[in-house]
Amino acid sequence: MMIRGVFACAITLLLVVTCASAATRTANQNPRETMNIKMTIAGQIITARLEDNHSARDFFAMLPLTLPIEDYAETEKIAYLPRQLTTLGAPKGIDPGVGDLTYYAPWGNLAIFYRDFGYSTGLIKLGRITSGLDALTAQPSGTLTIEAVK
């Protein structure tokens, strides 16, 4: 009787390990696509990585875009998108930091912060600048081209 119980436990453990291993292999074969973008202003390149949220995926699906960009409050650069992004699952607001790429839902604009700012209702984080933030701050205004990086 004792041997049968030990054997049953061993079989159960083997099944659990086998299933966990198969699930890990499946997850590694189908990782979520990383959403990287390249922004160009006055011949300068800025790179960013987008978040894995509904708003960022909606923004990524719009690319490529060419938008006029301007300074706002000596804190951020803003550009108006051709349409509103989804806010499904978004928090009520965020406290953006330097280098955050965001969407301000009430106005429908992209906002890229180059100075620290306080909590703002309606602000959704889309991603973060990974390089080239200085290129953005060197221009008071201009044309920003945003493309997906494969």
Side-chain angles (χ1 to χ4, degrees):
M1 203 61 153
M2 177 86 151
I3 292 174
R4 191 180 298 162
V6 170
F7 183 70
C9 284
I11 294 294
T12 302
L13 182 59
L14 181 61
L15 287 172
V16 168
V17 169
T18 302
C19 290
S21 177
T24 301
R25 278 193 311 273
T26 300
N28 288 339
Q29 289 170 352
N30 299 316
R32 224 181 231 287
E33 178 184 343
T34 301
M35 296 182 293
N36 294 313
I37 62 171
K38 174 178 84 168
M39 298 179 277
T40 307
I41 185 167
Q44 303 275 336
I45 304 292
I46 304 157
T47 61
R49 173 168 286 148
L50 299 183
E51 299 281 309
D52 183 16
N53 64 44
H54 293 287
S55 301
R57 285 191 295 276
D58 192 20
F59 173 67
F60 192 72
M62 294 175 112
L63 303 179
L65 291 171
T66 299
L67 306 167
I69 192 164
E70 62 188 71
D71 195 76
Y72 185 79
E74 297 180 346
T75 303
E76 63 194 271
K77 298 293 184 176
I78 64 170
Y80 290 90
L81 297 172
R83 66 166 174 80
Q84 296 276 320
L85 296 179
T86 182
T87 58
L88 181 67
K92 292 205 182 289
I94 64 165
D95 182 359
V98 173
D100 281 347
L101 175 67
T102 65
Y103 174 65
Y104 187 56
W107 292 356
N109 68 283
L110 193 62
I112 307 169
F113 286 86
Y114 62 88
R115 288 214 171 109
D116 195 27
F117 195 71
Y119 178 88
S120 294
T121 301
L123 200 59
I124 301 167
K125 186 171 180 179
L126 298 178
R128 184 142 184 84
I129 302 294
T130 54
S131 70
L133 184 61
D134 291 343
L136 186 69
T137 58
Q139 304 295 321
S141 63
T143 301
L144 184 70
T145 300
I146 310 168
E147 305 167 273
V149 176
K150 303 286 181 191

